[in-house]
């Protein structure tokens, strides 16, 4: 990778971290109790995990500066959804969540300066 590529990747990471901070502040202001950020395991990563009322919610944050590659929400395709569900399974085992704990998968999409919280963005995809 060239130095330009490394610098661009770092800028993307920094921008992503900045957007996740913005989303956390927004979710907290909406009453979400955040319990984890950037939860990682062998199966992958979930950006934000928290409680919205009784629901344990797994949040995926996507940002697009412009629509040249589609909307931010469109970036959470079926492969990404399956990966998030596998990580959520692992999280629930590690944290001893019961089968009766209601879960939800939400996407917080940021297109330019517009933030959209999409509740129930997708349903659980079993292995």
């Amino acid at each position: 990778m060239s130095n330009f590529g490394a610098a661009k990747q770092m800028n993307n990471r920094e921008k992503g971290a900045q957007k996740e901070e913005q989303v956390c502040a927004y979710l907290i202001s909406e009453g979400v109790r955040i319990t984890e950020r950037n939860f990682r395991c062998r199966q992958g990563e979930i950006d934000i995990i928290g409680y919205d009322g009784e629901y344990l919610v797994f949040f995926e944050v996507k940002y697009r500066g412009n629509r040249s590659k589609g909307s931010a929400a469109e970036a959470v395709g079926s492969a990404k959804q399956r990966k998030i569900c596998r990580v959520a399974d692992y999280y629930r085992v590690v944290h001893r969540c019961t089968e009766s704990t209601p879960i939800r998968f939400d996407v917080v999409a940021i297109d330019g300066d517009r933030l959209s919280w999409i509740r129930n963005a997708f349903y659980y995809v079993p292995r």
Side-chain angles (χ1 to χ4, degrees), residues 17 20-21 24 34-39 46-49:
E20 282 184 20
E21 284 292 328
C24 283
I34 295 172
T35 58
E36 296 264 354
R37 292 185 56 189
N38 303 111
F39 177 79
I46 294 179
D47 295 326
I48 301 168
I49 302 170

Side-chain angles (χ1 to χ4, degrees), residues 24-86:
C24 283
Y26 170 76
L27 292 173
I28 290 167
S29 77
E30 293 292 313
V32 173
R33 183 172 54 88
I34 295 172
T35 58
E36 296 264 354
R37 292 185 56 189
N38 303 111
F39 177 79
R40 288 182 178 88
C41 65
R42 244 181 63 213
Q43 289 80 7
E45 177 190 4
I46 294 179
D47 295 326
I48 301 168
I49 302 170
Y51 283 90
D52 183 25
E54 66 179 325
Y55 282 88
L56 175 60
V57 185
F58 300 93
F59 295 93
E60 178 67 11
V61 177
K62 283 295 177 191
Y63 168 73
R64 293 285 184 263
N66 60 56
R67 293 210 168 217
S68 65
K69 294 182 181 178
S71 73
E74 291 171 339
V76 186
S78 59
K80 183 67 173 175
Q81 292 172 17
R82 284 191 303 276
K83 182 178 271 196
I84 292 168
C85 289
R86 285 194 305 270

